[in-house]
Amino acid sequence: MVNTNFLVIGSGVAGLTYAVKVAQRFPDKTVVIVTKADEQESNTKYAQGGVAVVLDLKEDSFEKHIQDTLLAGDGLCDEAVVEMVIKEGPKRLKELMLWGANFDLNDSGTLDLGIEGGHSINRVVHHKDITGFELERVLLQQVHKLSNVTVLPYHFALDLITEHHLDIPESKNISCYGAYVLDQNTGDIMTIKADRTLLASGGIGRLYGHTTNPTIATGDGIAMAYRAKAEIKDMEFVQFHPTALYDKKDGRSFLISEAVRGLGAVLRNKNGHRFMPDYDKRAELASRDIVSQSIDNELKKTGDTHVFLDCTLLDIDVFKNHFPNIYQECLTNHIDVEKDWIPVVPASHYLCGGIVVDKNGKTSVTNLFACGECSRTGLHGANRLASNSLLEALVYAHNIFEYQAAHPVEPVHAFIPEWDDVGTRTPKEYVQIHHNLTQLQALMRDYVGIVRSNNRLTKAVRHLDLIYNEVEELYKDMKVNTALCELRNMVNVAHLIISQSLERRLNKGGYYNVDNVPAAEKDSVINDWI
Ligand code: FAD
Ligand code: SIN
């Protein structure tokens, strides 16, 4: 049994920012960060475009960023949250810079501001096209300076500890007492008792075979919170990024940042037609729900597997300077962006919903907080505005820290039993886990993709039931291991996405169900294939 004051699950921007703050404020208290891969691995590490912040008050304003966020969220954002996050942004960015984060400067020595889809003006602060890598570098550097923080890489959080595990009668008020954690190197299961637990476990991209997310993005935190009976909302709003590099194989797709379209690249179908102006007057810089749905429509009309991003009209030196990583990855794939169009296709990228939190990051479970992509704050509504995710994580990590500093808790003296694995066996083969994972990813891709229908969603419920039963059988039988637990979590998350999709009767932002389209709109350009 390990006792700590603060347990953090995840080492992306959300978990690390929070950990630095609580550890600095409470040098006599302990912080444990568990993270299931190496300490840098996270969605954060791959963030390209940057952090959206209002800095240039001559050209930009909080009001403009608020309006862009509300427009992208298609009427479902919480306006008070939007205002709070956007107004706090500059302070949080300044703090990151004081910790040592380097962002690109323009010729006049001020921060260079990029633009992405849905933004009405340049406001995206970035470090080349590897902004997330820079954030992880700085935050980990800060964490390692603090002697009261312990980072445990390759430690997988299995389940939150609640009354369900204790000898305490369950009531409506559920509390969190820490988590059971698998040491992936030894196979041992640790009981980590904590006064306060933060879920900062990131997104769900891996539910779809084709995703911009790394393999860690399996929705573990959301599934753990769901099993602990926390409120989960807006799961139908899975965001697909319009421009992932096309690859015939499933797996992590390399992202071609929206900032490339911000610089002037245009989308063409294979006949060379620039199709985005047919769909939206903002063309390639429409919000990403619209660009992804438009590409999906083009692909369905033509039967093609991908469209193209044409950068050939851009100044190649400017391109190389802004996007060295993208330039290099394209070259590795035998694409010379100066001459060749880049083949692109939408891929699952971000989850707008998640664990419901208030403005202090509190979930509906006492002493359990959530931050970053696993949380649902109300900022994004039905569709996240580009580069608002890193911003949200930075602002909420701070709010949670402030709240906890102002509301200290007494440690709970409860008896917490060790993990019970009586009756389970070491697995002799993993083929059933792999088979079910492949089935799940195919189901999500084919039945729960960018464009949904009641018929496909209902079939998805039936197929998922079969997968669920097989996975639960394996779970009862096998000693826990990462692959099995990730699969079980993904099945839980798939259930939430599908069931909440079926509940949604009105299409909004990133949610598009052909059966929700009013008859009068059926002949609009985006629906012409129905
Ligand atoms: P993550 O950074 O994903 O961190 C989650 C952490 O939790 C990881 O360390 C993981 O290992 C750990 N974890 C998960 N489950 C467990 C478990 N069971 N046990 C222990 N540890 C666990 N957003 C922007 O605002 N701007 C951008 O430019 C941008 N570009 C992006 C580009 C790409 C390719 C991708 C994939 C995303 C991008 N996003 C961008 C989105 C943004 O990067 C993420 O939403 C954000 O970084 C999430 O941060 P996080 O801390 O919540 O989660
Ligand atoms: C990108 O650079 O296109 C990703 C930005 C984001 O997801 O916010």
Side-chain angles (χ1 to χ4, degrees):
M1 163 94 82
V2 173
N3 264 299
T4 185
N5 299 106
F6 303 99
L7 171 63
V8 182
I9 299 174
S11 58
V13 61
L16 293 177
T17 306
Y18 163 84
V20 172
K21 284 172 178 266
V22 283
Q24 282 179 345
R25 172 70 72 91
F26 302 107
D28 53 332
K29 296 196 187 251
T30 58
V31 182
V32 172
I33 304 175
V34 295
T35 190
K36 69 177 176 180
D38 87 55
E39 60 183 15
Q40 255 202 356
E41 189 59 355
S42 56
N43 275 3
T44 302
K45 179 180 163 188
Y46 299 94
Q48 294 187 352
V51 191
V53 196
V54 175
L55 295 174
D56 175 5
L57 286 172
K58 263 198 254 130
E59 297 292 327
D60 200 1
S61 67
F62 290 130
E63 196 43 42
K64 281 186 192 165
H65 190 180
I66 291 170
Q67 284 315 319
D68 292 346
T69 301
L70 295 176
L71 188 65
D74 204 6
L76 295 192
C77 302
D78 178 329
E79 294 195 25
V81 165
V82 173
E83 186 177 341
M84 180 275 288
V85 172
I86 285 169
K87 290 189 169 167
E88 287 297 308
K91 281 183 250 168
R92 304 286 72 88
L93 185 84
K94 197 167 164 199
E95 202 163 56
L96 264 182
M97 293 174 71
L98 288 173
W99 287 344
N102 289 314
F103 296 111
D104 291 357
L105 303 177
N106 56 31
D107 292 342
S108 47
T110 55
L111 285 169
D112 183 53
L113 304 176
I115 187 166
E116 293 176 58
H119 288 276
S120 53
I121 196 158
N122 289 48
R123 63 166 73 95
V124 182
V125 177
H126 56 95
H127 178 103
K128 302 289 178 193
D129 51 357
I130 52 167
T131 306
F133 191 82
E134 174 66 4
L135 294 195
E136 282 287 310
R137 180 191 71 75
V138 166
L139 291 167
L140 282 166
Q141 195 178 58
Q142 290 300 314
V143 157
H144 291 307
K145 282 186 192 160
L146 294 156
S147 59
N148 55 338
V149 184
T150 306
V151 185
L152 298 175
Y154 298 101
H155 279 66
F156 183 95
L158 294 168
D159 249 329
L160 298 168
I161 301 170
T162 64
E163 283 79 3
H164 173 75
H165 302 93
L166 311 185
D167 207 6
I168 302 178
E170 279 192 52
S171 72
K172 267 197 177 152
N173 286 331
I174 297 171
S175 299
C176 178
Y177 302 85
Y180 291 111
V181 173
L182 171 70
D183 177 339
Q184 293 158 284
N185 294 318
T186 62
D188 294 341
I189 295 170
M190 299 163 73
T191 305
I192 304 188
K193 181 168 171 285
D195 305 337
R196 270 163 164 167
T197 301
L198 177 75
L199 281 170
S201 47
I204 59 112
R206 302 305 294 187
L207 262 80
Y208 295 82
H210 195 222
T211 176
T212 63
N213 292 190
T215 51
I216 53 101
T218 53
D220 301 339
I222 297 170
M224 283 189 270
Y226 171 62
R227 292 196 292 270
K229 302 195 173 62
E231 191 188 350
I232 315 281
K233 208 171 150 186
D234 291 349
M235 295 294 287
E236 66 274 34
F237 298 117
V238 176
Q239 183 172 74
F240 292 83
H241 196 291
T243 54
L245 183 62
Y246 172 68
D247 190 338
K248 286 193 194 101
K249 298 185 298 295
D250 264 1
R252 189 171 94 80
S253 312
F254 183 78
L255 183 74
I256 310 292
S257 173
E258 259 184 36
V260 174
R261 277 175 278 135
L263 199 69
V266 296
L267 283 161
R268 300 189 188 280
N269 64 21
K270 75 165 181 245
N271 302 322
H273 175 60
R274 184 184 169 200
F275 56 83
M276 271 317 297
D278 303 342
Y279 294 91
D280 193 288
K281 63 176 185 306
R282 294 167 295 176
E284 283 80 8
L285 287 183
S287 55
R288 66 176 62 141
D289 52 338
I290 294 172
V291 182
S292 288
Q293 287 165 12
S294 307
I295 295 176
D296 190 75
N297 194 30
E298 287 293 309
L299 296 181
K300 286 203 164 90
K301 274 196 312 195
T302 58
D304 294 339
T305 50
H306 55 277
V307 293
F308 295 92
L309 188 65
D310 175 3
C311 307
T312 57
L313 300 173
L314 306 181
D315 180 321
I316 192 64
D317 293 324
V318 176
F319 188 99
K320 278 188 197 166
N321 184 40
H322 274 74
F323 309 116
N325 189 35
I326 295 174
Y327 180 77
Q328 194 49 51
E329 182 70 21
C330 286
L331 269 191
T332 307
N333 284 278
H334 313 290
I335 301 159
D336 176 354
V337 296
E338 197 175 5
K339 297 200 291 277
D340 306 324
W341 296 347
I342 309 173
V344 291
V345 71
S348 101
H349 180 64
Y350 183 83
L351 178 66
C352 300
I355 308 160
V356 176
V357 294
D358 68 8
K359 74 176 194 333
N360 299 313
K362 278 166 67 181
T363 70
S364 56
V365 171
T366 304
N367 291 329
L368 178 67
F369 294 74
C371 188
E373 192 166 339
C374 67
S375 69
R376 182 271 182 203
T377 62
L379 174 68
H380 310 307
N383 174 54
R384 173 176 67 94
L385 183 65
S387 288
N388 266 358
S389 171
L390 297 173
L391 171 70
E392 178 191 54
L394 293 168
V395 170
Y396 271 82
H398 179 79
N399 287 7
I400 297 170
F401 148 73
E402 287 277 21
Y403 173 84
Q404 295 185 350
H407 300 83
V409 278
E410 286 302 313
V412 179
H413 297 288
F415 170 73
I416 301 182
E418 297 291 304
W419 179 262
D420 180 6
D421 62 358
V422 173
T424 59
R425 292 176 293 137
T426 307
K428 291 204 176 61
E429 54 174 42
Y430 284 84
V431 62
Q432 295 188 46
I433 297 176
H434 181 73
H435 175 80
N436 278 293
L437 173 62
T438 312
Q439 297 274 308
L440 177 70
Q441 289 175 329
L443 175 142
M444 295 304 286
R445 183 193 59 223
D446 295 339
Y447 291 170
V448 200
I450 297 178
V451 174
R452 301 182 196 162
S453 74
N454 289 343
N455 180 279
R456 287 197 291 263
L457 287 170
T458 313
K459 288 196 169 120
V461 172
R462 286 208 302 270
H463 287 207
L464 187 68
D465 251 7
L466 297 176
I467 299 175
Y468 170 81
N469 287 330
E470 276 202 25
V471 172
E472 283 304 303
E473 248 176 54
L474 292 174
Y475 187 75
K476 282 193 191 102
D477 202 40
M478 275 189 185
K479 280 212 186 309
V480 288
N481 58 77
T482 305
L484 175 61
C485 293
E486 286 184 338
L487 174 61
R488 183 168 179 250
N489 290 335
M490 285 193 267
V491 171
N492 286 174
V493 172
H495 160 75
L496 287 163
I497 295 175
I498 296 166
S499 58
Q500 295 189 7
S501 292
L502 278 165
E503 282 162 23
R504 169 150 293 284
R505 295 274 166 256
L506 209 56
N507 290 341
K508 286 275 172 197
Y511 183 76
Y512 193 87
N513 180 331
V514 293
D515 294 311
N516 290 348
V517 179
E521 286 172 25
K522 289 225 182 214
D523 58 353
S524 75
V525 65
I526 200 145
N527 293 310
D528 60 1
W529 53 273
I530 296 171

